[in-house]
Amino acid sequence: MPSGPSTAARTPFVLLVVLLLGGGLITLLLLNSALNQGSFKLRELKDRTTELTDEEQALQRDVDADAAPDALERRARELGMVPGGSPAFLGPDGKVLGEPTVAASPKPSPKPSSKPSRTPARVPDRTGDPAPSGTGQSPAPGTSTAPRSTATAPKTTAPTPTTSGR
């Protein structure tokens, strides 16, 4: 048997199988890369959706807080609005039902001043010196006629109360 014709007939078949396998591997590699890109894009979109959902919920909380009756009343008072009086209604026949009244402007509440209105308390005289001679008057209780020394005891102050807004 001659070996020439059988090897020649096998060569195109082997090349065809190798090309098919190589093409299949390359196709699988490209398909896998496309799927990975899609999964990365999907993950980014899910993260963005979560961020936008959180932002929407925060904005809805703000809207709900601003729409509360006490917040609306406070903002209306800041704008100078006053509560309305009792309303009057028109019936279907054109008859006025109720007694309309004018809204009265409430008296403005006094605003607290930022400076304390009290004067600082005077330090009582510790030397016990009487009034200076020649005046014939004794000093008022709690006042001193002796010169004050420059060295004073350290003052302790109570902490100022603060509010955190919560």
Side-chain angles (χ1 to χ4, degrees):
M1 295 200 121
S3 68
S6 76
T7 0
R10 248 190 232 170
T11 307
F13 177 72
V14 170
L15 284 176
L16 177 67
V17 169
V18 168
L19 284 175
L20 285 175
L21 287 175
L25 287 175
I26 290 174
T27 304
L28 284 175
L29 180 65
L30 292 175
L31 183 63
N32 192 15
S33 297
L35 287 175
N36 281 339
Q37 285 178 346
S39 68
F40 285 134
K41 183 70 174 178
L42 180 65
R43 186 72 208 155
E44 288 174 11
L45 291 175
K46 282 184 179 180
D47 290 343
R48 181 72 178 146
T49 301
T50 303
E51 289 173 12
L52 290 175
T53 302
D54 291 344
E55 184 179 349
E56 178 190 18
Q57 289 174 351
L59 291 173
Q60 187 63 44
R61 268 193 317 268
D62 291 345
V63 166
D64 291 342
D66 287 342
D70 58 337
L72 287 175
E73 180 184 7
R74 179 182 39 81
R75 287 182 31 227
R77 287 193 189 280
E78 288 173 358
L79 291 172
M81 296 179 168
V82 295
S86 61
F89 299 98
L90 289 177
D93 57 352
K95 195 175 192 182
V96 177
L97 303 172
E99 209 42 52
T101 59
V102 177
S105 177
K107 295 179 184 177
S109 61
K111 294 185 179 180
S113 63
S114 61
K115 294 183 180 179
S117 60
R118 287 195 294 167
T119 56
R122 294 186 177 184
V123 179
D125 183 18
R126 296 179 190 211
T127 60
D129 289 342
S133 60
T135 61
Q137 296 177 353
S138 64
T143 60
S144 170
T145 55
R148 292 187 186 176
S149 66
T150 55
T152 60
K155 295 180 181 179
T156 58
T157 58
T160 307
T162 59
T163 57
S164 64
R166 291 187 184 186

